[in-house]
């Protein structure tokens, strides 16, 4: 087993988020979050506010479990930044945006105060992905259904794929990712706006972050 694979498996098996050299993943487990319990604290400094853990919900089978965001106050704050530098990276997640959500809602924000870094948000029924000032826009998605995106850097270009469909790409013109601001799921980093209304599962980072 190579070094990357062994670290990835450790992250999946042991904890919701761990800032490793190569990989990290947010997951929900029955042992950590019983279905009747509130979600207050994630391991290793990751905190969650007003987020509901959905354990084994038959209506939301995307592999295992998910987190539900209420659109007004739910947020998950990671203990580390997605500071990839010049390295290739891959971010992926399952998400469901529900009817009644605002037009602009954040999935993940890892930008600093100058708006450098990575941002993944929904604008109506499209995913917008940003690498510093370089942007990509996905194909259309449907509300109230699960969708899977992959956003990645390969060399001098970035790529965005939704549900295995057409891959959007563009060349990087705004430099590398050099940030120290911890990543946030479900809300923008420097405002209290753009909260997510819906559910998220399997948020995974692969790279040097």
């Amino acid at each position: 087993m190579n070094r990357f694979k062994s670290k990835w498996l450790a992250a999946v098996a042991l904890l919701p988020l761990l800032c490793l050299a190569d990989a990290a993943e947010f997951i929900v487990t029955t042992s950590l979050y019983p279905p009747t319990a509130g979600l207050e604290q994630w391991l290793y400094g990751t905190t969650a506010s007003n987020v509901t853990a959905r354990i084994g919900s038959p209506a939301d089978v995307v592999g295992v479990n998910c987190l539900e965001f209420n659109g007004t106050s739910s947020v998950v704050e990671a203990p580390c930044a997605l500071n990839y530098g010049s390295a290739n990276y891959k971010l992926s997640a399952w998400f469901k945006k529900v009817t009644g959500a605002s037009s602009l809602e954040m999935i993940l924000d890892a930008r600093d105060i100058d708006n450098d870094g990575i941002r993944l948000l929904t604008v109506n029924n499209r995913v917008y992905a940003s690498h510093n000032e370089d942007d990509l826009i996905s194909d259309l998605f449907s509300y109230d259904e699960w969708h899977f995106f992959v956003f990645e850097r390969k060399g001098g270009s970035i790529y965005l794929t939704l549900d295995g469909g057409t891959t959007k790409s563009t060349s990087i013109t705004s430099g590398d990712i050099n940030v120290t601001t911890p990543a946030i799921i479900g809300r923008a980093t420097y405002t209290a706006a753009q909260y997510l209304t819906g559910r998220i599962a399997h948020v995974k980072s692969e790279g040097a972050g």
Side-chain angles (χ1 to χ4, degrees), residues 11 26-27 51 60-61 68 74 80 88-91 100-101 106-107 114 122 133 138 151 169 171 178 185 191-192 206:
F26 304 80
I27 58 174
V51 180
D60 280 331
V61 177
E68 183 173 20
S74 299
C80 61
N88 292 337
Y89 61 80
K90 178 189 289 186
L91 283 164
M106 194 68 62
I107 298 173
D114 297 316
T122 63
E133 297 177 2
S138 78
F151 179 52
S169 65
S171 297
N178 296 297
I185 294 177
T191 70
E206 300 174 48

Side-chain angles (χ1 to χ4, degrees), residues 16 30 65 75 114 162 197:
T30 304
N65 309 303
V75 61
D114 297 316
L162 180 69
T197 309

Side-chain angles (χ1 to χ4, degrees), residues 1-100:
M1 181 178 293
N2 62 40
R3 181 175 63 90
F4 172 81
K5 187 173 182 181
S6 63
K7 283 190 175 182
W8 187 89
L9 289 175
V12 172
L14 296 179
L15 48 118
L17 168 66
L18 176 60
C19 298
L20 299 171
D22 291 324
E25 184 168 9
F26 304 80
I27 58 174
V28 185
T29 69
T30 304
S31 60
L32 288 173
Y33 311 121
T36 57
L39 180 61
E40 300 296 336
Q41 180 74 33
W42 285 31
L43 296 180
Y44 291 86
T46 308
T47 57
S49 301
N50 300 315
V51 180
T52 302
R54 297 296 181 186
I55 306 297
S57 173
D60 280 331
V61 177
V62 292
V64 282
N65 309 303
C66 65
L67 298 179
E68 183 173 20
F69 294 73
N70 64 20
T72 58
S73 59
S74 299
V75 61
V76 173
E77 301 178 33
C80 61
L82 297 181
N83 188 31
Y84 296 116
S86 60
N88 292 337
Y89 61 80
K90 178 189 289 186
L91 283 164
S92 61
W94 287 90
F95 73 97
K96 178 197 283 189
K97 187 175 182 178
V98 300
T99 299

Side-chain angles (χ1 to χ4, degrees), residues 5 37 55 62 67 71 76-77 81-83 102 104 119-121 124 130 147 156 174 197 203:
K5 187 173 182 181
I55 306 297
V62 292
L67 298 179
V76 173
E77 301 178 33
L82 297 181
N83 188 31
S102 301
L104 193 155
R119 177 181 63 173
L120 289 149
L121 73 157
N124 295 316
S130 300
H147 302 282
S174 57
T197 309
V203 180

